[in-house]
């Protein structure tokens, strides 16, 4: 794979790594349970990312975790922008 497709894949992988690190050590919201970043989908222009998350536990745990992640989305966006330059 060469060109934009390769760049898109590298950036998606870097975003996955950075968000996983944030989940592991920086986000202290007690609502966020055991979550794993499963995939990052980027638009062709690289301006928007969809981050797919897998949550261990039941529906209630998943709902609480997604609520906590939604609350932390601004921080996650700012940190990604800062880290990825």
């Amino acid at each position: 794979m060469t060109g934009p497709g390769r760049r898109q894949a590298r950036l998606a992988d870097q975003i996955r790594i950075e968000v996983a690190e944030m989940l592991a050590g920086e986000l202290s919201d007690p609502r966020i349970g055991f979550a794993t970043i499963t995939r990052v989908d980027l638009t062709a222009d690289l301006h928007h990312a969809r981050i797919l998350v897998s949550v261990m536990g039941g529906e209630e745990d998943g709902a609480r975790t997604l609520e906590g992640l939604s609350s932390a989305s601004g921080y996650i966006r700012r940190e990604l922008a800062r880290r990825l330059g």
Side-chain angles (χ1 to χ4, degrees), residues 59-71:
E59 273 188 48
E60 199 173 296
D61 295 329
R64 271 198 315 267
T65 296
L66 291 179
E67 186 179 308
L69 289 173
S70 179
S71 174

Side-chain angles (χ1 to χ4, degrees), residues 2-3 8 13 17 23 29 31 39-40 42 50 54 56-57 59-60 62-63 65 69-70 74 78 80 85:
T2 59
Q8 188 176 16
D13 194 46
I17 290 167
L23 282 177
D29 191 324
R31 294 175 292 184
R39 192 171 82 208
V40 175
L42 288 170
R50 174 178 288 158
S54 174
M56 295 292 285
E59 273 188 48
E60 199 173 296
T65 296
L69 289 173
S70 179
R78 280 190 306 277
L80 279 175

Side-chain angles (χ1 to χ4, degrees), residues 34-47:
F34 187 74
T36 303
I37 307 302
T38 56
R39 192 171 82 208
V40 175
D41 293 331
L42 288 170
T43 57
D45 64 2
L46 307 178
H47 284 114

